[in-house]
Amino acid sequence: MGKILLKRAVLFSVYAFLYIPIVVLVVLSFNQAKFSTRWDGFSLVWYARLINNSLLMEAALNSVLVAVSSSTIATLLGGLGAFSLYRYQFTAKRAYYGALYVLMISPDVVMGISLLALFSALRMPLGFGTLLLAHITLSLPFVTVVVYSRLSGFSPNVIEAARDLGASESRALRLVVLPLAAPAVLAAWLLSFTLSLDDVIISFFVTGPAFEILPLRIYSMVRLGVKPDVNALCTVMFTLSLALVFISQLLLKEERI
Amino acid sequence: MRLRNPTKTLAIGSFAFWLFFFVLVPNVMVAVVSLLSRDESSFVSLPFSLESYLRLSDPLYLMVFIKSLNMALVTTLVCLLAGYPFAYILARLPGRFRRVLVLLVILPFWTNSLIRTYAVALILRTNGPLNWFLVDLAGLRDTPLDLLYTGTAVVAGSVYVFLPFMILPLYAVLERMDPAYVEAGRDLGAGWLDVFFRITVPLSMPGILAGCLLVFLPALGLFYIPDVLGGARDLFIGNFIKNQFLDARDWPFGAAGSVVLTGLMGVLLLIYYRGMRRLGEKVL
């Protein structure tokens, strides 16, 4: 009896630790009070202020633009990468894998400055273009791993059968592999969308003042301290990524966990 | 000339090109920059020198590295101590319920960690909910705790952000583990402490190693957590690199810091790789 209680207490406290700050953030974003954390009545005033802030809205639009384009290209590239890892034997395959994993765990600061060094050596002006290239690089390993783990659940004989029946390699890829991998491809797209929308550190290095995006606006606001309109903005961002991730997890559900 | 298999060439080629051009080349460039001299107008110039590395060995900057390592270590230990019992209990729960609970651990990973850091700041501040609870509601303290902008706050924030990285690999290993081993140990008369340290822990070693790596590495490169929760009072490697690149405009110095950080990570990865090999686990 006591043992079960103890187990529940452990589970409960970890979930409380993980979720209480978020719940507090969401609740306070609806709080009318400007300075205190005491409840002062329900209000949407901070959300209204967000919508009326044209600079913020422009940054949001820029963010969505970068996220949509970078995740589309990253999904294409990463999908092809996953397909090659699944289908072909080639030299340096292990190096390929290695690069992906190193990329996933290497600190964002390191990736940020290395891309900054590249872009400045190429004399590229910092803005949409550089941000796009950086976000594709950031999402690439995640897309590849998600798509690859779905593909590796299927027998390679499926492709061989298509080939034997006369399909060209690209036709087999389009008509056999792509439909099989479709849920994972969509999930990967959604995940890279959220990665792009949430990235602060890499974007911090590779964009200029001419092209501002939402996470960087949040970063500069957050550094100045706690404010209710920041609470509202953070709640919106949080809800958005939660929804996207939830959908992508549903898409991956059959094979995973 | 026609390629024998254009799809294959395109698939491998495009991906390899991207990794080469946007991962390998930039990192080599940083290594080269770290060996150049500082230049006011174009950031870097010849001649080659080791000066940046020599400057890093100054006690002032050595402390930055030691402090970062220390912070990463404390964060990893706290995550392990909190995450292990949690993962253990989670792995023994019945199926359907468990899936939802695991998803609840995964979800934060995909959300903005800056926002979650900010949420921690919201909780910890002097007139925030934690102090409201401690002072007004529970009456545990007479005066509010000044937690925000301290080292404790940075650790709390790091644990908050990185805990899922510890739990998931631990869970993956513990869930696979056959409970028969534990039962056999108990049947043969071992106490539960004995069973835990001589059966469960060794069997879950791959998960422990992976979890520690996944927490320690990102914790080493902390960037905005010290900014938001520590008030940027203490300098960590991540902040140091950023300052050198964007504020002090001393690229070779910042690049040298980044190379040392990458080197540290390489050593850790090597230790991890050797450890996993010794445990008979396949890596990569």
Side-chain angles (χ1 to χ4, degrees):
Chain A
M1 199 43 214
K3 220 170 146 187
I4 293 176
L5 220 61
L6 185 71
K7 281 182 183 176
R8 290 210 176 138
V10 171
L11 287 181
F12 177 78
S13 41
V14 169
Y15 284 113
F17 175 68
L18 285 177
Y19 283 92
I20 282 181
I22 295 166
V23 171
V24 168
L25 172 77
V26 173
V27 170
L28 286 182
S29 74
F30 293 109
N31 189 4
Q32 195 163 8
K34 182 155 187 182
F35 296 110
S36 90
T37 37
R38 308 292 147 85
W39 187 251
D40 216 25
F42 179 87
S43 156
L44 289 173
V45 60
W46 309 115
Y47 288 91
R49 186 169 291 195
L50 288 187
I51 295 169
N52 291 326
N53 186 337
S54 59
L55 271 177
L56 210 60
M57 284 297 126
E58 198 192 311
L61 204 66
N62 286 344
S63 278
V64 171
L65 194 66
V66 172
V68 168
S69 18
S70 74
S71 48
T72 305
I73 300 174
T75 306
L76 208 69
L77 274 172
L80 282 176
F83 176 70
S84 1
L85 287 175
Y86 165 71
R87 170 98 174 110
Y88 304 120
Q89 292 304 322
F90 51 95
T91 41
K93 196 166 171 176
R94 268 168 62 95
Y96 230 63
Y97 276 119
L100 283 179
Y101 282 100
V102 170
L103 199 58
M104 259 197 283
I105 57 174
S106 78
D108 291 351
V109 185
V110 173
M111 195 195 270
I113 60 159
S114 66
L115 286 171
L116 174 62
L118 176 75
F119 296 146
S120 72
L122 295 174
R123 307 238 175 280
M124 288 175 75
L126 297 181
F128 174 77
T130 51
L131 206 55
L132 179 67
L133 292 173
H135 282 196
I136 295 168
T137 311
L138 161 77
S139 313
L140 200 55
F142 293 95
V143 173
T144 313
V145 168
V146 167
V147 176
Y148 179 73
S149 73
R150 165 98 186 181
L151 284 177
S152 53
F154 299 113
S155 158
N157 294 338
V158 185
I159 304 178
E160 291 306 333
R163 295 284 275 150
D164 287 347
L165 291 170
S168 70
E169 188 79 4
S170 67
R171 212 171 143 81
L173 172 60
R174 239 174 334 115
L175 297 179
V176 178
V177 180
L178 195 59
L180 282 175
V185 171
L186 191 57
W189 191 90
L190 289 170
L191 290 178
S192 38
F193 187 89
T194 54
L195 280 175
S196 165
L197 206 59
D198 286 344
D199 172 68
V200 179
I201 302 180
I202 295 169
S203 311
F204 193 71
F205 289 98
V206 299
T207 191
F211 193 82
E212 206 179 14
I213 53 168
L214 206 48
L216 290 182
R217 265 229 70 83
I218 295 179
Y219 184 44
S220 55
M221 288 163 94
V222 157
R223 271 196 296 182
L224 297 176
V226 170
K227 279 206 316 242
D229 48 342
V230 183
N231 297 348
L233 182 56
C234 288
T235 302
V236 173
M237 291 287 281
F238 192 81
T239 316
L240 190 63
S241 36
L242 217 57
L244 291 172
V245 173
F246 195 74
I247 298 170
S248 66
Q249 289 292 329
L250 281 184
L251 287 167
L252 293 171
K253 203 178 87 185
E254 304 147 65
E255 260 67 38
R256 309 200 84 192
I257 303 175
Chain B
M1 193 185 90
R2 266 183 68 87
L3 290 165
R4 207 164 45 88
N5 190 340
T7 309
K8 177 176 175 177
T9 313
L10 179 76
I12 300 177
S14 59
F15 191 67
F17 166 79
W18 199 277
L19 286 181
F20 175 79
F21 201 70
F22 291 103
V23 180
L24 189 65
V25 169
N27 280 298
V28 170
M29 284 177 66
V30 169
V32 173
V33 165
S34 74
L35 294 169
L36 292 169
S37 309
R38 184 182 181 186
D39 188 281
E40 292 299 333
S41 55
S42 61
F43 298 126
V44 289
S45 68
L46 291 168
F48 283 104
S49 80
L50 284 172
E51 208 211 311
S52 301
Y53 289 95
L54 291 177
R55 277 167 67 201
L56 272 183
S57 61
D58 183 293
L60 188 71
Y61 295 112
L62 274 184
M63 268 317 285
V64 171
F65 280 84
I66 292 170
K67 237 192 273 175
S68 302
L69 282 169
N70 181 45
M71 180 63 73
L73 191 68
V74 173
T75 304
T76 309
L77 285 179
V78 175
C79 282
L80 183 62
L81 290 179
Y84 200 96
F86 175 80
Y88 188 85
I89 296 167
L90 193 62
R92 298 273 168 287
L93 287 178
R96 245 193 92 70
F97 191 48
R98 193 176 64 206
R99 235 191 254 169
V100 179
L101 288 178
V102 172
L103 187 62
L104 280 177
V105 180
I106 298 177
L107 280 182
F109 168 80
W110 293 104
T111 60
N112 193 328
S113 53
L114 172 64
I115 290 180
R116 285 186 291 135
T117 308
Y118 171 74
V120 173
L122 205 60
I123 294 271
L124 292 182
R125 66 197 189 123
T126 315
N127 58 352
L130 182 68
N131 277 315
W132 171 73
F133 175 78
L134 287 177
V135 179
D136 296 356
L137 202 67
L140 293 172
R141 287 184 57 91
D142 296 328
T143 51
L145 277 171
D146 273 322
L147 276 173
L148 195 53
Y149 307 133
T150 63
T152 318
V154 179
V155 173
S158 312
V159 171
Y160 182 67
V161 169
F162 298 125
L163 188 59
F165 293 81
M166 178 64 84
I167 291 174
L168 292 173
L170 283 177
Y171 168 80
V173 171
L174 288 168
E175 196 227 357
R176 268 199 329 232
M177 200 177 91
D178 190 344
Y181 291 116
V182 172
E183 280 156 29
R186 294 287 284 164
D187 287 347
L188 292 170
W192 71 267
L193 261 181
D194 243 8
V195 168
F196 181 74
F197 282 108
R198 293 170 66 179
I199 298 176
T200 313
V201 170
L203 281 177
S204 57
M205 219 30 159
I208 296 177
L209 271 183
C212 288
L213 185 82
L214 288 178
V215 173
F216 195 89
L217 289 189
L220 206 52
L222 289 186
F223 183 86
Y224 45 69
I225 297 178
D227 255 10
V228 175
L229 291 169
R233 238 190 283 174
D234 284 324
L235 199 60
F236 295 97
I237 306 178
N239 312 96
F240 164 77
I241 296 172
K242 182 205 103 186
N243 290 347
Q244 292 308 321
F245 262 81
L246 298 183
D247 305 331
R249 297 272 163 187
D250 191 343
W251 281 31
F253 199 28
S258 167
V259 169
V260 173
L261 175 61
T262 312
L264 271 175
M265 288 181 31
V267 171
L268 289 168
L269 276 173
L270 201 68
I271 295 173
Y272 169 76
Y273 186 71
R274 296 287 278 270
M276 287 301 237
R277 282 273 288 267
R278 183 164 292 178
L279 292 168
E281 289 281 316
K282 213 175 125 245
V283 192
L284 290 187

